C-alpha cells in the first residue's frame, strides 16, 4: 500500500492534480496496486489564512509518505519569495531532494517551436542540483536604502553536494543507455570558484565511468545548442540556477509548460513530483489548463514507486493523446477542457 502525500497548492495546481489523481485511480486498477492519498493544504490561501507556510512538524509528517505529488506553489497576493522559499524550496531542502530531474522530450513535432525538429531530435534529460548554489539564500544587504546600497547573493557549492549530484548523473546516463553522453553545463570561464570545483569533481568521477562520454559546455552556449542542435544532448548535469533556466527553455522546445514535468529526488528518502509550469493564476478555475504535465509527473512518480509498467502505460497514453487528439498543448487551445484531457488519458490507458 503506497502512501502518497498530495499538495495541490495554488492556482491551477488543484485542477491539474485532480486529473492526475483520476489517472492514478484508473492505472492502479489496471496494474493492481493499492495506495492511499492524503491532501495537504500548503500554499498561498493557507498562508494568507494562517500565516503559516510549512513547519518542521509538517516536514516530519511528510517523511512518513512514500512520495509527494505537488501541483504548484505561487500566489499573486503573496510577495514573491515567501511561498517559494517557505514551501517549495523548504520541501526540496529539508527532504534533501538533491536531484531535480527534468526530461525534455518532444512527443509531436507540430508542437515544437523549432523549425524541422522531430521527436528523435529532442529527447534529453536535465539533472539539476537541487539544494545549493544561488538557491542557498546566502547573502546580505549593505547600506540598505541608501545610494551606496549593495546586495550580495552567494553561490554556495559543497564538494559533497556536487559529488552526489554528478555521481547520480553518471549512473542515470548509464541506466538510460541512449547515447551514453553526459554534458556538464557551467561557466568555468567566469565563475572560477564554483565551476572549478564542479569541473574538477566531474572529471574525477568520470574516471569511474569509462563507458560514458563526457563533454563540457558553458551555460550561454548550452542555450544556443538547445535551440540549434538539441539532438546533441543526452543527459545534462548542472547547478541549481542554470538548471532552473535551461529547463524552462527545455520545456518550451518540448512543446511548452503544458507538458513539462519534473522530479525532486532524494534517492534515499521521500521524492516529490510536479508539473514545472507554476500556478498560472490567469487560467485558474477555468478548466482550460493542460493537465498533461501533471500527468507526466504522475508517470515519474509511479516509476519512483517501482510501478514501471503503470508508469510506461501513463506515458504511452499521454503520447497517444498528444498525437491523435490535441490541437495544441497550450491552455485554452487544446480543443478540450482540462477534465476532458484527463478523461482522454484514462480512455487511452
Ligand atoms: C522551478 C521554479 C522554482 C525554482 C520557483 C517557483 C522557486 O521556477 O521549479 O523551476 O526556481 O526552482
Ligand atoms: Mn523554474
Amino acid at each position: 500500500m503506497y502512501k502518497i502525500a498530495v499538495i495541490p497548492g495554488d492556482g491551477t495546481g488543484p485542477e491539474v492534480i485532480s486529473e492526475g489523481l483520476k489517472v492514478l485511480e484508473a492505472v492502479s486498477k489496471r496494474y493492481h496496486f493499492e495506495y492511499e492519498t492524503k491532501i495537504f493544504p500548503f500554499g498561498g490561501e493557507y498562508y494568507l489564512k494562517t500565516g503559516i507556510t510549512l513547519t518542521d512538524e509538517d516536514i516530519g509528517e511528510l517523511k512518513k509518505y512514500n512520495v509527494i505529488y505537488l501541483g504548484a506553489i505561487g500566489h499573486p497576493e503573496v510577495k514573491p519569495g515567501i511561498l517559494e522559499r517557505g514551501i517549495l524550496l523548504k520541501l526540496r531542502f529539508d527532504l534533501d531532494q538533491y536531484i531535480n530531474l527534468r526530461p525534455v522530450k518532444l512527443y509531436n513535432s507540430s508542437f515544437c517551436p523549432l523549425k524541422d525538429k522531430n521527436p528523435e531530435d529532442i529527447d534529453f534529460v536535465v539533472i539539476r542540483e537541487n539544494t545549493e548554489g544561488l538557491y542557498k539564500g546566502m547573502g546580505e544587504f549593505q547600506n540598505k536604502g541608501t545610494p551606496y546600497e549593495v546586495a550580495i547573493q552567494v553561490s554556495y557549492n559543497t564538494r559533497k553536494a556536487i559529488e552526489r549530484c554528478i555521481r547520480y548523473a553518471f549512473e542515470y546516463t548509464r541506466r538510460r543507455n541512449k547515447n551514453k553522453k553526459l554534458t556538464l553545463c557551467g561557466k568555468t570561464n567566469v565563475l572560477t570558484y564554483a565551476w572549478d570545483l564542479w569541473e574538477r569533481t566531474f572529471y574525477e568521477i568520470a574516471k569511474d565511468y569509462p563507458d560514458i562520454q563526457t563533454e563540457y559546455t558553458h551555460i550561454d552556449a548550452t542555450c544556443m545548442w538547445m535551440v540549434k542542435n538539441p539532438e546533441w544532448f543526452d543527459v545534462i548535469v548542472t547547478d541549481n540556477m542554470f538548471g532552473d533556466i535551461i529547463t524552462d527553455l527545455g520545456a518550451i522546445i518540448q512543446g511548452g509548460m503544458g507538458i513539462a514535468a519534473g522530479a525532486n529526488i532524494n534517492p534515499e528518502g521521500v521524492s516529490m513530483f510536479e508539473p514545472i509550469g507554476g500556478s498560472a493564476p490567469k487560467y485558474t478555475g477555468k478548466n482550460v489548463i493542460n493537465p498533461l504535465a501533471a500527468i507526466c509527473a504522475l508517470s515519474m512518480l509511479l516509476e519512483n514507486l517501482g510501478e514501471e509498467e503503470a508508469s510506461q502505460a501513463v506515458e504511452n497514453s499521454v503520447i497517444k493523446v498528444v498525437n491523435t487528439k490535441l490541437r495544441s498543448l497550450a491552455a485554452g487551445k487544446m480543443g478540450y477542457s482540462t477534465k476532458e484531457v484527463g478523461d482522454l488519458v484514462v480512455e487511452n490507458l
Side-chain angles (χ1 to χ4, degrees):
M1 171 78 99
Y2 302 120
K3 290 178 59 135
I4 303 177
V6 182
I7 307 176
D10 296 319
T12 51
E15 292 168 64
V16 296
I17 288 296
S18 141
E19 297 315 302
L21 293 175
K22 192 193 275 174
V23 174
L24 174 62
E25 194 187 336
V27 82
S28 74
K29 288 192 182 126
R30 175 87 37 107
Y31 290 90
H32 311 290
F33 63 86
E34 282 177 50
Y35 65 94
E36 58 182 34
T37 54
K38 183 173 172 192
I39 309 280
F40 289 85
F42 314 120
E45 295 297 332
Y46 181 74
Y47 171 72
L48 290 171
K49 234 182 284 159
T50 63
I52 297 167
T53 46
L54 177 76
T55 66
D56 292 341
E57 288 73 52
D58 296 327
I59 292 286
E61 180 61 24
L62 289 167
K63 282 186 181 159
K64 297 179 191 156
Y65 288 77
N66 296 105
V67 287
I68 302 170
Y69 191 31
L70 173 75
I73 298 293
H75 194 290
E77 283 152 47
V78 182
K79 188 179 164 226
I82 294 178
L83 303 173
E84 291 81 355
R85 220 161 245 297
I87 302 176
L88 185 58
L89 299 184
K90 187 174 168 70
L91 285 163
R92 290 177 183 168
F93 291 4
D94 290 8
L95 295 171
D96 208 17
Q97 294 164 341
Y98 60 87
I99 298 297
N100 194 327
L101 190 119
R102 295 184 167 180
V104 178
K105 198 165 171 183
L106 178 67
Y107 291 139
N108 180 326
S109 46
S110 61
F111 301 139
C112 182
L114 305 179
K115 185 158 58 80
D116 303 330
K117 295 297 176 191
N118 297 307
E120 59 272 22
D121 299 316
I122 301 181
D123 180 7
F124 61 94
V125 174
V126 177
I127 293 178
R128 160 184 175 189
E129 200 290 322
N130 212 28
T131 60
E132 295 192 338
L134 282 165
Y135 278 68
K136 188 81 177 171
M138 274 175 81
E140 63 176 2
F141 292 115
Q142 291 170 357
N143 308 319
K144 193 169 181 185
T146 75
Y148 307 101
E149 181 160 356
V150 180
I152 299 171
Q153 191 90 46
V154 175
S155 176
Y156 178 92
N157 300 267
T158 64
R159 166 82 195 200
K160 182 179 166 238
I162 295 172
E163 182 163 343
R164 66 185 180 175
C165 176
I166 287 177
R167 208 168 269 288
Y168 184 95
F170 273 104
E171 291 289 338
Y172 184 88
T173 309
R174 184 180 268 172
R175 216 168 45 238
R176 173 172 156 92
N177 199 21
K178 198 182 167 230
N179 300 337
K180 291 200 156 190
K181 183 166 101 176
L182 180 61
T183 303
L184 176 68
C185 162
K187 192 71 184 175
T188 53
N189 54 348
V190 175
L191 307 178
T192 51
Y193 299 110
W195 286 98
D196 189 82
L197 179 55
W198 271 86
E199 194 182 34
R200 272 186 283 124
T201 309
F202 182 71
Y203 286 111
E204 263 171 52
I205 294 175
K207 291 188 194 127
D208 296 339
Y209 299 87
D211 53 321
I212 307 294
Q213 188 194 334
T214 55
E215 174 185 80
Y216 170 83
T217 56
H218 293 316
I219 174 66
D220 46 353
T222 306
C223 292
M224 176 179 71
W225 298 129
M226 275 175 69
V227 171
K228 189 169 183 293
N229 299 99
E231 63 278 8
W232 286 358
F233 295 112
D234 180 9
V235 181
I236 299 176
V237 63
T238 188
D239 79 352
N240 213 340
M241 186 77 258
F242 294 165
D244 178 49
I245 297 166
I246 65 172
T247 53
D248 266 30
L249 178 54
I252 213 70
I253 66 172
Q254 75 180 111
M257 286 302 178
I259 193 89
N264 302 272
I265 299 173
N266 175 345
E268 297 90 37
V270 184
S271 299
M272 177 167 79
F273 301 83
E274 55 173 342
I276 74 172
S279 57
K282 74 172 179 191
Y283 298 118
T284 301
K286 301 207 166 113
N287 196 22
V288 296
I289 196 79
N290 188 344
L292 290 181
I295 294 170
C296 289
L298 174 75
S299 166
M300 298 178 83
L301 180 154
L302 290 168
E303 190 188 353
N304 188 268
L305 288 175
E307 295 295 335
E308 306 271 348
E309 285 180 25
S311 163
Q312 198 56 61
V314 171
E315 190 188 1
N316 290 344
S317 177
V318 168
I319 294 174
K320 215 155 146 200
V321 170
V322 166
N323 283 305
T324 61
K325 302 283 182 186
L326 301 197
R327 226 182 293 146
S328 159
L329 297 179
K333 298 183 181 146
M334 301 182 289
Y336 296 88
S337 71
T338 305
K339 286 188 174 34
E340 285 168 342
V341 173
D343 292 338
L344 285 171
V345 175
V346 169
E347 282 161 30
N348 283 280
L349 269 175

